[in-house]
């Protein structure tokens, strides 16, 4: 699945000159935890999150300058002293496109510890929507028949007779039983099924008719 399958088509954004109070008002009104900061062309230049805003309260030296405390500390002080979106925002903005896979979007959120990503048009770079962490969770509620059809497609690609398999799908867990032609097909099938969006795990057992992974000994010369 791709971001376009789960994204929201409305994104809340502000311009760099938006004031602190305007940012807070936008977050409260739309019940969101972050807003995208866009330039005059609608392209994202940064993001202001609730954590960025709270630095004004949790940083006792918010109006202090200085060079002590390291780069991270100086960055926090800069944000805490800011009064507009351009001064408070975190840059650069981490974005995805509609064609980004849901799996990759989830990795980005985890890596950067964020809960939403602006979605940008690949041609113009303009914001076209937003994808939230909760949107990505939709992939794990896919109907069982959808996942079953993808399992069938995997079998066709690997040359496995789907009629020889019993496949169960329940809350994202695939149960496999039956027989495949070769031992190597068994491991490939399990690996490919694990990659299907919405699959949390694979269990059960498969047998095989022939073992094509038997090691061949090489005589010493």
């Amino acid at each position: 699945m791709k971001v376009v399958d789960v994204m929201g088509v409305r994104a809340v954004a502000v311009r760099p000159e938006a004031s602190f109070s305007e940012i807070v008002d936008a977050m409260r009104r739309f019940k969101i935890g972050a807003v995208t900061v866009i330039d005059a062309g609608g392209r994202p230049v940064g993001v202001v999150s609730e954590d960025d805003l709270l630095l004004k309260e949790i940083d006792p030296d918010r109006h202090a300058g200085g060079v002590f405390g390291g780069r991270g500390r100086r960055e926090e002080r800069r944000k805490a002293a800011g009064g507009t979106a351009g001064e408070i925002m975190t840059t650069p903005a981490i974005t995805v496109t509609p064609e980004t896979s849901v799996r990759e979007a989830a990795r980005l959120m985890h890596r950067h510890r964020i809960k939403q990503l602006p979605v940008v048009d690949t041609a113009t770079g303009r914001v076209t929507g937003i994808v939230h962490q909760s949107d990505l969770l939709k992939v794990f509620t896919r109907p069982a028949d959808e996942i079953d059809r993808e399992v069938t497609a995997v079998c066709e690609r690997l040359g496995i007779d789907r009629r020889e398999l019993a496949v169960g799908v329940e809350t994202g867990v695939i149960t496999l039983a039956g027989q495949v032609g070769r031992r190597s097909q068994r491991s490939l099938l399990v690996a490919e099924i694990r990659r299907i969006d919405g699959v949390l795990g694979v269990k059960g057992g498969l047998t095989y008719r022939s073992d094509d992974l038997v090691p061949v000994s090489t005589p010493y010369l």
Side-chain angles (χ1 to χ4, degrees):
M1 294 184 72
K2 299 178 181 179
V3 166
V4 68
D5 300 315
V6 298
M7 62 181 271
V9 295
R10 293 181 61 191
V12 180
V14 297
R15 295 290 301 279
E17 60 269 22
S19 68
F20 185 95
S21 60
E22 287 172 331
I23 299 170
V24 173
D25 180 63
M27 288 185 180
R28 286 178 175 173
R29 191 188 325 156
F30 296 101
K31 298 178 181 179
I32 53 178
V35 294
T36 304
V37 184
I38 57 174
D39 62 16
R43 294 175 291 269
V45 294
V47 173
V48 177
S49 68
E50 290 175 324
D51 289 342
D52 293 328
L53 298 180
L54 288 173
L55 285 173
K56 279 192 177 294
E57 297 301 324
I58 65 176
D59 188 348
D61 303 319
R62 58 184 179 273
H63 299 303
V67 296
F68 301 104
R71 181 178 179 181
R73 183 61 173 165
R74 292 196 297 273
E75 179 68 6
E76 288 183 354
R77 285 180 172 174
R78 178 190 67 78
K79 293 180 181 181
T84 66
E87 296 168 340
I88 301 169
M89 68 183 183
T90 298
T91 58
I94 308 300
T95 64
V96 291
T97 72
E99 294 301 305
T100 301
S101 70
V102 166
R103 198 178 298 272
E104 178 59 24
R107 287 195 189 104
L108 284 172
M109 287 189 184
H110 177 71
R111 186 184 310 147
H112 297 281
R113 299 181 181 180
I114 51 181
K115 297 182 179 180
Q116 65 184 52
L117 291 165
V119 183
V120 299
D121 181 83
T122 52
T124 65
R126 300 183 64 181
V127 174
T128 60
I130 196 81
V131 60
H132 295 271
Q133 204 170 47
S134 57
D135 295 325
L136 301 184
L137 294 177
K138 294 176 184 177
V139 71
F140 297 111
T141 58
R142 296 181 67 193
D145 58 337
E146 282 187 15
I147 296 177
D148 187 77
R149 284 196 294 271
E150 292 205 36
V151 171
T152 299
V154 169
C155 289
E156 291 175 353
R157 290 199 302 271
L158 297 177
I160 295 172
D161 189 345
R162 175 68 168 77
R163 295 170 298 181
E164 295 188 359
L165 303 181
V167 180
V169 183
E170 185 175 358
T171 60
V173 177
I174 306 295
T175 303
L176 294 175
Q179 188 177 65
V180 296
R182 302 186 302 276
R183 182 182 178 186
S184 61
Q185 288 179 314
R186 182 178 66 175
S187 56
L188 285 172
L189 177 62
V190 172
E192 288 297 313
I193 290 177
R194 288 184 186 277
R195 294 190 181 98
I196 294 175
D197 290 320
V199 172
L200 297 173
V202 180
K203 65 180 184 179
L206 292 172
T207 59
Y208 49 86
R209 286 188 291 273
S210 63
D211 190 348
D212 58 343
L213 299 180
V214 177
V216 178
S217 59
T218 303
Y220 292 101
L221 298 179

